[in-house]
Amino acid sequence: MANKAVVLASSELPAHLQSSSGLGNENIKAEHLQVPRLKQMQGISPECDKYHANYVEGADIGHWLITPSNQNLGEEVYALNVKFTENFVIWGDRESGGGMKGSFNSMMEAETALAAVADKANCYIEESHDHVLLLVDPVTGEASDQAVLFSMSRSKMGTSRNWNTQIVAKPGDRFSSLWKLASVRVEGKKGTFMKTDVSWVGYAQEAHYESAKSKYLSMTPNAVSAAA
């Protein structure tokens, strides 16, 4: 008689776990989690290279992906812009292994930190605009439960400043409007790349606005009393 296959786990949440409350995660804070990021695919993006270990099936140049889940959103993204911050990031040169060495609120802080880096000769500081976005599904009309971070630097800095200019010119809070992010192919000095095109769609629905406001207040405790 053949041995019965042993079932070690289930891909579906079983009944005995449906009432669990997350025991064991009491010490997990926001800084212990990997922040979901919105990433625009470029020609050099490993997610588009089927021979790369980080290849994502179906990903193509100009597509938008959420990392680390690698959810492919296609060529257009609809979002409410919840919060903006300016950061100064220390990066390692690609030739020396790359990677982020730290993120700081001012150039002075970044320069001080860079001076203490062992391989500072192979590092550089880059200004970055971080936009916290609440994505809205254009098919279902539902807003995401989780905000994502979209970092704009280098060639995207002009677009970021223009986006901020449009936002502050609109009435209401920063997250009072819905925006569309699309990919546009342009020719640069170093070749072809995908530029981010941001366009105003209209004023946000009440449910989306309230969801974005809740996200903002959870990230900005000092704003709670002002909003009350």
Side-chain angles (χ1 to χ4, degrees):
M1 181 176 179
N3 293 330
K4 185 178 180 180
V6 177
V7 179
L8 298 179
S10 172
S11 59
E12 300 293 332
L13 185 67
H16 67 275
L17 295 180
Q18 291 179 4
S19 60
S20 59
S21 57
L23 294 177
N25 292 327
E26 297 85 359
N27 296 324
I28 299 296
K29 300 178 182 178
E31 57 266 29
H32 300 145
L33 302 174
Q34 186 169 355
V35 179
R37 289 178 175 268
L38 181 66
K39 184 176 180 181
Q40 184 182 30
M41 296 294 96
Q42 301 286 345
I44 62 172
S45 298
E47 294 88 347
C48 298
D49 183 356
K50 66 179 181 180
Y51 297 106
H52 196 282
N54 294 334
Y55 172 66
V56 176
E57 187 173 357
D60 200 356
I61 299 172
H63 284 185
W64 298 86
L65 267 63
I66 297 179
T67 61
S69 66
N70 289 331
Q71 178 184 359
N72 192 340
L73 304 178
E75 298 179 347
E76 297 179 346
V77 173
Y78 291 82
L80 279 69
N81 196 316
V82 179
K83 188 179 179 182
F84 166 81
T85 56
E86 180 184 45
N87 296 296
F88 296 85
V89 183
I90 298 177
W91 293 97
D93 289 333
R94 185 182 297 271
E95 292 76 12
S96 61
M100 179 188 292
K101 308 296 183 181
S103 179
F104 306 90
N105 295 325
S106 69
M107 177 62 79
M108 183 177 294
E109 291 180 51
E111 290 174 341
T112 300
L114 179 60
V117 175
D119 61 339
K120 54 180 173 289
N122 296 317
C123 298
Y124 62 94
I125 299 174
E126 184 175 84
E127 181 183 4
S128 174
H129 286 181
D130 286 350
H131 298 262
V132 177
L133 308 178
L134 184 67
L135 303 183
V136 176
D137 190 318
V139 177
T140 66
E142 297 294 323
S144 173
D145 292 330
Q146 190 171 37
V148 299
L149 185 65
F150 181 41
S151 296
M152 305 181 76
S153 59
R154 299 187 181 184
S155 62
K156 290 185 172 67
M157 291 296 287
T159 301
S160 177
R161 295 188 179 97
N162 180 267
W163 194 4
N164 280 332
T165 301
Q166 292 186 65
I167 290 174
V168 299
K170 301 287 183 185
D173 298 315
R174 181 174 183 85
F175 36 84
S176 296
S177 290
L178 181 68
W179 303 86
K180 182 177 77 171
L181 280 67
S183 294
V184 178
R185 187 186 300 272
V186 296
E187 293 288 341
K189 294 181 179 179
K190 297 184 179 181
T192 302
F193 67 97
M194 303 307 294
K195 179 181 178 182
T196 302
D197 179 72
V198 180
S199 58
W200 185 70
V201 178
Y203 294 109
Q205 295 181 14
E206 183 176 3
H208 298 163
Y209 167 81
E210 291 297 338
S211 182
K213 182 178 180 180
S214 177
K215 298 291 184 186
Y216 171 78
L217 293 178
S218 68
M219 294 183 294
T220 318
N222 293 334
V224 174
S225 58

